[in-house]
Amino acid sequence: MGQIVPLALGATINMDGSCISLMITSLFMAKIFGIPVTGSIITTIVIAIMVLSVGSPGVPGGNLVCMTLLLPQIGVPAEAVSLVMGLYPIMAMMQTCANVTGDAVVTTIVAKQENLLDMKKYNS
């Protein structure tokens, strides 16, 4: 029996798709509500998204909860999430694709560095 390669810790922390969607959605909402996007707003968004991506639940629609927490920090009412709820299933598919791709790449790199990757199988 071969060795078991554990998935990197990044599987629960590395939420690339969620981060991208939270950033785009928050900037979109700021534009809709006429909030000027300054350097301090962007810094606030980036720090909040880093914290939210670590605590983001791995359940369908969990990112909507994170969005509800993020938007009031930049002056957008939390009710604005309703504007993107209808599009969320499509966004969630793209987020999942980005999250899984990021996890697979990192896991492959770690396995190669630890000499646990069978390059013969990998290349075939």
Side-chain angles (χ1 to χ4, degrees):
M1 184 168 209
Q3 288 181 323
I4 297 174
V5 180
L7 189 60
L9 177 62
T12 56
I13 297 172
N14 185 23
M15 298 287 209
D16 300 335
S18 298
C19 292
I20 293 167
S21 112
L22 284 172
M23 179 60 95
I24 291 172
T25 305
S26 60
L27 292 175
F28 172 70
M29 293 296 179
K31 182 74 171 171
I32 286 177
F33 284 88
I35 296 167
V37 180
T38 61
S40 63
I41 293 278
I42 291 177
T43 304
T44 301
I45 293 171
V46 167
I47 292 170
I49 287 174
M50 286 191 297
V51 171
L52 287 171
S53 71
V54 172
S56 177
V59 295
N63 210 27
L64 287 173
V65 175
C66 293
M67 210 176 307
T68 306
L69 296 170
L70 174 66
L71 292 178
Q73 292 181 6
I74 61 170
V76 176
E79 295 83 11
V81 173
S82 62
L83 295 173
V84 294
M85 277 182 163
L87 298 173
Y88 188 75
I90 297 168
M91 290 170 41
M93 287 183 236
M94 294 177 201
Q95 288 173 11
T96 302
C97 187
N99 291 341
V100 170
T101 302
D103 292 341
V105 168
V106 170
T107 304
T108 304
I109 291 170
V110 170
K112 183 163 173 49
Q113 288 177 345
E114 297 293 323
N115 294 323
L116 298 172
L117 184 64
D118 185 358
M119 290 305 292
K120 197 177 216 180
K121 286 183 183 176
Y122 179 79
N123 290 326
S124 63

